[in-house]
Amino acid sequence: MSVKFLKSVFSPEDLPSDGLPEIALVGRSNVGKSSLINALAERKELARTSSTPGKTQCLNYYLFDNFYLVDMPGYGYARASKSSRFQWIGLIERYFESRKELRATGILVDARHIGLENDVTLMKWFSEQGHPWFIVLTKIDKVKQQDIAAHEKYLKQEFEGVAAVFKTCSKDGKGVRALLAFIKESVAAPRGATSD
Ligand code: GTP
Ligand code: MG
């Protein structure tokens, strides 16, 4: 698969207008969004990863053959100001409510930290939207197998609208193939086909 970084989008006018379907990835700062994109692309340094959370403040578009993966700005960074937190909500609400090209959204959750307030708020919001969404547990190399199984069960029970829960590790690539297969399927489906 050929993958390339297209551009960073700072305002709605800069969103691509070629109509290609897209999949958005959201999650807390430092959850591993950029690392996951690199793992999906099988490229080491396509998306910039960092140990300084809260770096990505724009939408980063990556072209995967025939669709875009969109790396959304991370939220929940403790040092971010209240106004920047509102800005985050404003930007993503607008994007999720109006972006016609969007086929599904992946919410990334650190497998070590299940049930954090920000994550739960976002997952509840998605549950109410009726727009297709899925969960990607990240950093499963840091968590015991049995805990991961318990987390998965909890998430599926708590958020009935979730299309799937993936368990991934960007370091060794675990779960990444299954996720990519799901993404390709979502992209091929007409918009709204997988929602209620
Ligand atoms: P922001 O862009 O700041 O929102 O962060 P991000 O969500 O893009 O996270 P990023 O991919 O930059 O990863 C943050 C840190 O987590 C880095 O130090 C990564 O090396 C580490 N990390 C990411 N994925 C994994 C994983 O699967 N396992 C382990 N052990 N560490 C990971
Ligand atoms: Mg990032």
Side-chain angles (χ1 to χ4, degrees):
M1 178 158 47
S2 104
V3 184
K4 68 169 194 152
F5 172 67
L6 181 77
K7 63 175 174 178
S8 295
V9 171
F10 291 88
S11 64
E13 311 88 74
D14 296 331
L15 289 165
S17 53
D18 52 24
L20 281 184
E22 58 197 49
I23 302 287
L25 298 178
V26 292
R28 297 170 66 81
S29 291
N30 219 41
V31 71
K33 294 178 295 298
S34 301
S35 303
L36 184 69
I37 288 174
N38 287 334
L40 287 163
E42 295 185 57
R43 293 264 296 276
K44 273 215 168 72
E45 288 173 22
L46 179 73
R48 237 194 293 152
T49 62
S50 71
S51 44
T52 325
K55 273 269 154 85
T56 319
Q57 288 303 338
C58 49
L59 276 55
N60 284 317
Y61 270 75
Y62 297 91
L63 176 64
F64 280 62
D65 282 345
N66 56 348
F67 64 92
Y68 291 119
L69 266 192
V70 187
D71 191 358
M72 306 290 288
Y75 55 86
Y77 179 40
R79 265 199 273 161
S81 66
K82 217 170 199 169
S83 71
S84 86
R85 268 180 263 157
F86 279 118
Q87 233 169 22
W88 191 94
I89 296 283
L91 175 71
I92 73 145
E93 260 193 349
R94 224 175 323 142
Y95 172 86
F96 288 119
E97 282 168 1
S98 63
R99 188 68 176 156
K100 300 267 183 297
E101 291 82 351
L102 185 63
R103 292 295 184 275
T105 301
I107 300 181
L108 277 61
V109 178
D110 191 319
R112 294 170 297 183
H113 309 294
I114 303 296
L116 293 178
E117 197 188 341
N118 280 325
D119 291 338
V120 169
T121 303
L122 192 63
M123 293 190 284
K124 277 192 186 143
W125 189 77
F126 271 96
S127 301
E128 289 159 11
Q129 293 297 305
H131 163 78
W133 67 285
F134 55 94
I135 295 173
V136 182
L137 293 178
T138 63
K139 310 190 188 184
I140 60 161
D141 54 310
K142 299 277 193 187
V143 182
K144 277 188 250 147
Q145 188 100 39
Q146 70 198 66
D147 291 344
I148 298 167
H151 293 334
E152 183 181 7
K153 192 172 165 205
Y154 156 79
L155 289 165
K156 283 182 172 163
Q157 270 172 2
E158 193 71 17
F159 304 99
E160 285 178 4
V162 68
V165 178
F166 296 93
K167 296 156 278 185
T168 67
C169 171
S170 297
K171 299 246 148 149
D172 65 11
K174 238 179 227 141
V176 173
R177 233 174 227 256
L179 174 59
L180 188 60
F182 177 85
I183 287 175
K184 286 181 178 171
E185 254 175 57
S186 305
V187 163
R191 183 178 159 87
T194 44
S195 68
D196 307 330

